[in-house]
Amino acid sequence: MFPEIKITKTTTPKQKPVAGQPLPFGRNFSDHMFVMDYVRGEGWINPRIVPYAPFEIDPAAMVFHYGQAVFEGMKAYKCEDGTINLFRPSCNFERMNNSNDRLVIPEVDVDFCVHATKMLVDIDKDWIPSGKGESLYIRPFVIATDPFLGVRASDTYKFFILLSPSGAYYAHGIKPVKIYVEDTYVRAVRGGTGFTKCAGNYACSLIAQTIAHDKGYEQVLWLDGVEQKYIEEVGAMNIMFVIDGKLVTPSIAAGSILPGITRRSCIEIAKSMGMEVEERKISIEEVIEAGKSGRMQECFGCGTAAVVSPVGELKYEDTVITINNGEIGPITQKFYDTITGIQSGKVEDTYNWVVKV
Ligand SMILES: *Cc1c(COP(=O)(O)O)cnc(C)c1O
């Protein structure tokens, strides 16, 4: 049995996005949010669903000073029969606990958080857009709230779940991206926080993103933090290559790469298709060489937002390579069709990934 979630419904529902209009990512929020508090000695208490609204917080709250903040990202999808799908939501809360452990934030109860997510999504189900590729983005996060300026782990926290209707990532068809290989800054190191979705990881990567944009590239590909030689991942996506017909992706064993749920899903689909999968170190030289010699057939990023994002062009120092003539390849397309098909209820979920709301 789960603790009771107290529900306070809004008396002033907001205008929902109009069907057919563009829905920019992360700007619109539904009518309600889920909140619970943590107090050391008492655990996670007072779970509640309340009207979405700003809240008061002490300016000395530790999250503002020492950055104890972690988040997750997943989506709810409306199926043609009107039912609502979540995609592997337990994986998100398990990963949140890995982030929490690393930042000395208390763990949450995975099953209870999935239950709370379902309840919140159900209350705001009319906020799930139902156009092609549209979904309801779900943002759970935790912040440290002790009003204290000493450096230590906070004794109090707040956990939230926000819902944000979001448009199709590919409103105009799947378009390959141009990627800039970052050779100055690094995102993560062995022993660091790369495997967590902690806020600081994103703050420290903004500078490279800015430089890449200025040079006309959409995303940054990170190299390892020690030798700046091995491929790690893209901004908020893992990266995969099809080389000599095999699926090759960086190993997450060193803890510097975020273990994506989309990454894991692609690997499981590849294996069930009988495709050989290699999770290993892969150097930027190997990628450039495989690109030039034609041994690399495909390259794509994968993550919740886009599902897959084919890479059409890769720039490393003075070398620019074009992959698959700047078009999406058949393996990338297969992963996209399988995952989006399962999410939207159009493809049979033989993996048991979907959780119905
Ligand atoms: C969220 C994220 C990913 C992708 O994870 P998914 O679970 O597939 O959405 C990859 N890399 C980074 C840095 C991320 O923040």
Side-chain angles (χ1 to χ4, degrees), residues 131-158:
K132 193 173 184 300
E134 295 180 335
S135 59
L136 185 71
Y137 184 78
I138 302 171
R139 167 55 58 88
F141 68 103
V142 182
I143 55 169
T145 52
D146 276 13
F148 180 55
L149 298 183
V151 180
R152 59 153 171 80
S154 182
D155 285 330
T156 58
Y157 298 85
K158 268 186 187 295

Side-chain angles (χ1 to χ4, degrees), residues 95 187 197 202 233 235-238 258 260-262 303-304:
R95 186 169 66 190
R187 189 190 96 94
K197 266 181 135 66
Y202 304 85
E233 60 182 315
M237 284 190 284
N238 295 109
L258 197 286
I261 295 158
T262 318
T304 296

Side-chain angles (χ1 to χ4, degrees), residues 274-303:
M275 194 175 175
E276 222 178 297
V277 179
E278 289 181 355
E279 294 180 69
R280 60 169 171 86
K281 279 185 153 185
I282 170 167
S283 71
I284 182 66
E285 282 83 20
E286 178 182 348
V287 166
I288 298 289
E289 186 44 47
K292 283 184 176 165
S293 68
R295 286 177 50 229
M296 176 163 72
Q297 290 93 44
E298 301 181 35
C299 171
F300 60 98
C302 57

Side-chain angles (χ1 to χ4, degrees), residues 17 24 78 153 213 241-242 343:
K78 183 147 308 158
H213 280 171
F241 305 91
V242 180
Q343 288 168 338

Side-chain angles (χ1 to χ4, degrees), residues 53-176:
F55 65 97
E56 278 202 347
I57 186 167
D58 197 296
M62 292 180 81
V63 65
F64 298 131
H65 306 274
Y66 309 120
Q68 265 183 303
V70 304
F71 69 94
E72 269 302 326
M74 60 179 142
K75 289 174 168 182
Y77 309 84
K78 183 147 308 158
C79 304
E80 266 165 16
D81 64 3
T83 60
I84 300 160
N85 285 353
L86 300 176
F87 186 72
R88 315 186 80 175
S90 302
C91 297
N92 289 90
F93 292 109
E94 281 158 13
R95 186 169 66 190
M96 175 176 259
N97 278 341
N98 294 336
S99 300
N100 287 5
D101 289 349
R102 179 64 179 78
L103 274 87
V104 200
I105 294 171
E107 287 193 3
V108 293
D109 182 318
V110 170
D111 293 335
F112 177 67
C113 287
V114 172
H115 166 70
T117 304
K118 285 190 200 175
M119 215 156 149
L120 179 65
V121 169
D122 188 52
I123 285 177
D124 278 346
K125 59 177 175 292
D126 293 344
W127 284 85
I128 311 176
S130 51
K132 193 173 184 300
E134 295 180 335
S135 59
L136 185 71
Y137 184 78
I138 302 171
R139 167 55 58 88
F141 68 103
V142 182
I143 55 169
T145 52
D146 276 13
F148 180 55
L149 298 183
V151 180
R152 59 153 171 80
S154 182
D155 285 330
T156 58
Y157 298 85
K158 268 186 187 295
F159 171 103
F160 295 84
I161 304 174
L162 312 182
L163 304 178
S164 176
S166 70
Y169 192 90
Y170 295 113
H172 308 285
I174 299 184
K175 194 175 137 279

